[in-house]
Amino acid sequence: MESMESCVRTKLGQLGYHIHTKPYEYIEEANRWYRNELIDDFHKRTAVTGELYEIDRMNFAKRGCADDANLCEIIDINVGEDAQNEFVHAVLENNRFDTMYRRQLERMSAAGTVAAYVRLDNATYLTNGKAINGEIKLTYCYAEDYIPLRIVNDEVVETAFSSTKLGKDGKQTTLVMFTQQGGNYRADTFVFDRSGKEIEAYWIILGDVKPFAVMQVAEVNNIRHMDGFGYPKVYGAIPTLKQIDLCHMILNGDLEKGEKFVLTNEAIVEIDKKTGDPKPRSKQWKRLFVLLGRKPIDGNGYIQEYNPKIRVEEIKKAFELCLSLFSMTFGFGSKKYVFEQNQIQTATQYIGERQDCMQELNKQREEARQYISGIVRAILWFSNTFQNTSFDLTADICIDFDDSYIEDKNTRMESMRTDAQTFSDIPEFTIRYIEERLNVSREEALKVYEGQVQEDDPEVED
């Protein structure tokens, strides 16, 4: 929400909540750079001659967010026994989770926070806070849609989400609130018309399982008034993003001025007798500088070429400095983006060589793991409650991240397999290999290992 709808703020105020709007200013500023929008007070400039011009934008905020998102890509989610696992995957697929999760990773890197909540579509809501039927759906939310209501030990335990869309009757704003009531969650939905009038409201009592999940940048948010929000990386990197655009401007300036000039003397140029000016003849003529006077240029003849120098090395060094500063402020470490062999080495390539960056990556993956696990448990709870299933809410949720950006997974798995074979008398190597290879919990890997041992060593009857 670039500016929170007044009807939303009014409704929350009536319910006793005071919402600080300062975080959304930081979020919108970060999103403007992520969207590669024109920043008037920076990209619009005035030449020494008074002429207005705009400098080009490199869109490096998007590049940094995309590289950041690559490091938390997932390739598999395992949720226990087959029927339960298949059900969860079906719900995720029906809600385009793979695509939306990838988008959320980028947007989280930019603005610091994303979220999702589980809802019932086409359900019948009763007056006693219950509902019947309905299809399990996911709603994906971004930082501008998200309103933290209560925070305990840095965990958001109550929240609200606001969205505005255009319908057949014009603009409609929806406010969804999740609050705790007697140990269980309560979901309230309010709908407002284009004038801000409340036109619909309904509520439902849920269980003790949190029906929403919030994913934030793992780095501590040190910006005031942003309690409940993750650190907006792009906002913190704006000074270095400006430097990168300035470097690009200098490179463009050198390239534009790098065209060869031809200096000529009026002795070989036809002069208009009335005006005393050279007569234009063709487009090539505009590239000629006419020097008045009859003497040759610097004694070198009547025509002389001038080839401006393009400061490639100086600009390259400036670029590398700015990219390193961006890399550090964005949480990638130093020299994440460097020029090597006429190409830019990317963040994902660099992190594979700099294992000190793995600590930051592991913290972010833990945030992603908790986010996905929260969504999955909410899906299972909704299914048990409204679709009469009996899925295990305590089942281990194993999430396998794509490490191909930072290491060759096949090589790693082959190394683990070799260790398991070489040290066959040490079960731990084999159990770890099974756990990674099948993407299962340690308990399940142990069962597979014990089953294999029993097959290899059957008991002999007396």
Side-chain angles (χ1 to χ4, degrees):
M1 91 191 51
E2 296 183 8
S3 58
M4 187 181 296
E5 295 289 339
S6 59
C7 57
V8 171
R9 190 184 306 177
T10 300
K11 184 65 180 181
L12 290 172
Q14 291 172 352
L15 295 173
Y17 295 99
H18 173 70
I19 305 303
H20 208 304
T21 58
K22 191 65 177 178
Y24 302 104
E25 296 178 15
Y26 301 127
I27 290 166
E28 175 57 19
E29 187 67 16
N31 281 334
R32 290 187 68 193
W33 281 88
Y34 173 75
R35 295 190 298 257
N36 200 31
E37 293 181 0
L38 184 73
I39 309 300
D40 289 343
D41 58 356
F42 177 74
H43 291 113
K44 289 186 176 182
R45 294 178 169 262
T46 304
V48 291
T49 57
E51 180 183 2
L52 298 177
Y53 70 100
E54 294 178 4
I55 64 173
D56 291 332
R57 308 184 293 281
M58 281 199 70
N59 199 17
F60 218 86
K62 171 68 169 63
R63 170 64 182 273
C65 292
D67 281 339
D68 207 18
N70 286 338
L71 303 176
C72 283
E73 284 273 22
I74 57 175
I75 57 177
D76 190 29
I77 302 173
N78 189 296
V79 197
E81 57 94 16
D82 291 343
Q84 180 166 300
N85 195 51
E86 290 174 4
F87 172 79
V88 169
H89 277 272
V91 173
L92 294 178
E93 184 177 351
N94 290 338
N95 287 274
R96 302 179 67 240
F97 179 78
D98 288 346
T99 300
M100 297 305 297
Y101 171 73
R102 167 67 202 205
R103 292 182 180 178
Q104 286 199 308
L105 284 176
E106 277 200 30
R107 296 282 294 274
M108 177 193 67
S109 185
T113 310
V114 293
Y117 64 87
V118 182
R119 72 178 197 276
L120 284 177
D121 232 9
N122 302 317
T124 300
Y125 289 88
L126 308 179
T127 55
N128 60 355
K130 295 183 179 181
I132 56 175
N133 302 322
E135 182 182 0
I136 297 175
K137 289 290 186 179
L138 293 177
T139 297
Y140 303 96
C141 307
Y142 300 101
E144 57 269 28
D145 311 318
Y146 158 77
I147 310 166
L149 299 179
R150 189 162 74 91
I151 305 161
V152 178
N153 294 330
D154 287 337
E155 178 189 3
V156 179
V157 295
E158 294 184 348
T159 187
F161 302 97
S162 173
S163 63
T164 300
K165 64 179 180 179
L166 293 176
K168 61 180 181 180
D169 298 324
K171 184 178 77 171
Q172 280 192 348
T173 300
T174 301
L175 172 66
V176 179
M177 298 177 59
F178 295 103
T179 56
Q180 289 180 318
Q181 181 175 303
N184 290 327
Y185 274 94
R186 167 177 168 145
D188 288 88
T189 301
F190 306 95
V191 182
F192 308 90
D193 64 13
R194 58 186 176 185
S195 66
K197 179 183 177 182
E198 185 178 317
I199 57 175
E200 188 179 3
Y202 51 92
W203 58 282
I204 182 174
I205 296 296
L206 302 174
D208 57 352
V209 173
K210 188 186 293 185
F212 64 90
V214 178
M215 180 167 59
Q216 300 177 351
V217 168
E219 187 175 344
V220 175
N221 191 352
N222 65 334
I223 302 176
R224 292 184 63 187
H225 310 303
M226 290 200 74
D227 294 337
F229 290 87
Y231 179 66
K233 281 191 174 183
V234 168
Y235 180 81
I238 287 176
T240 56
L241 291 170
K242 289 181 177 180
Q243 293 167 353
I244 292 172
D245 281 356
L246 288 174
C247 280
H248 189 246
M249 176 190 71
I250 295 171
L251 176 61
N252 275 347
D254 270 35
L255 292 175
E256 288 178 356
K257 297 172 183 177
E259 190 176 13
K260 178 175 68 178
F261 296 117
V262 178
L263 306 177
T264 184
N265 188 277
E266 71 169 339
I268 61 171
V269 175
E270 184 177 356
I271 303 297
D272 189 316
K273 294 182 179 179
K274 294 182 179 180
T275 63
D277 298 326
K279 291 183 178 180
R281 298 179 179 177
S282 66
K283 291 183 179 180
Q284 288 295 113
W285 183 260
K286 296 180 181 179
R287 300 180 181 180
L288 301 179
F289 283 83
V290 179
L291 302 182
L292 300 180
R294 295 289 179 179
K295 296 181 180 180
I297 303 170
D298 295 334
N300 294 325
Y302 288 96
I303 296 179
Q304 181 178 337
E305 290 185 355
Y306 172 65
N307 296 286
K309 178 184 177 182
I310 300 176
R311 299 165 294 174
V312 176
E313 286 303 317
E314 291 87 346
I315 294 175
K316 175 184 172 182
K317 290 179 180 178
F319 251 124
E320 286 188 333
L321 173 60
C322 293
L323 290 174
S324 290
L325 291 173
F326 170 79
S327 182
M328 286 189 293
T329 58
F330 213 71
F332 286 155
S334 61
K335 295 185 178 179
K336 182 66 64 81
Y337 300 96
V338 294
F339 293 98
E340 287 186 356
Q341 298 178 349
N342 297 322
Q343 63 180 356
I344 295 181
Q345 183 178 349
T346 67
T348 51
Q349 292 169 323
Y350 180 71
I351 199 168
E353 299 171 7
R354 285 292 302 273
Q355 294 305 314
D356 57 332
C357 296
M358 290 298 292
Q359 184 178 3
E360 187 70 25
L361 171 61
N362 289 332
K363 288 194 296 184
Q364 193 58 60
R365 284 188 172 183
E366 181 58 29
E367 281 281 337
R369 189 174 286 109
Q370 293 179 16
Y371 176 67
I372 297 170
S373 297
I375 292 174
V376 169
R377 294 198 194 284
I379 289 173
L380 293 175
W381 185 90
F382 268 70
S383 178
N384 287 350
T385 305
F386 301 107
Q387 298 181 351
N388 298 318
T389 56
S390 55
F391 293 134
D392 182 9
L393 300 183
T394 64
D396 288 331
I397 300 172
C398 300
I399 299 165
D400 191 10
F401 290 96
D402 185 0
D403 287 334
S404 60
Y405 294 101
I406 56 177
E407 65 178 332
D408 184 347
K409 186 170 184 178
N410 290 332
T411 302
R412 182 169 64 88
M413 292 303 300
E414 184 61 30
S415 176
M416 292 181 69
R417 180 173 176 271
T418 300
D419 288 342
Q421 292 175 337
T422 304
F423 305 101
S424 57
D425 56 331
I426 304 177
E428 184 64 25
F429 287 103
T430 304
I431 294 170
R432 287 183 179 178
Y433 173 71
I434 294 173
E435 187 178 353
E436 287 287 329
R437 184 69 179 82
L438 301 181
N439 185 33
V440 295
S441 67
R442 180 175 178 80
E443 289 74 16
E444 291 177 340
L446 188 57
K447 291 178 182 178
V448 173
Y449 172 76
E450 291 174 346
Q452 187 64 41
V453 170
Q454 289 177 3
E455 289 181 7
D456 293 341
D457 267 334
E459 293 183 358
V460 179
E461 295 183 359
D462 291 336

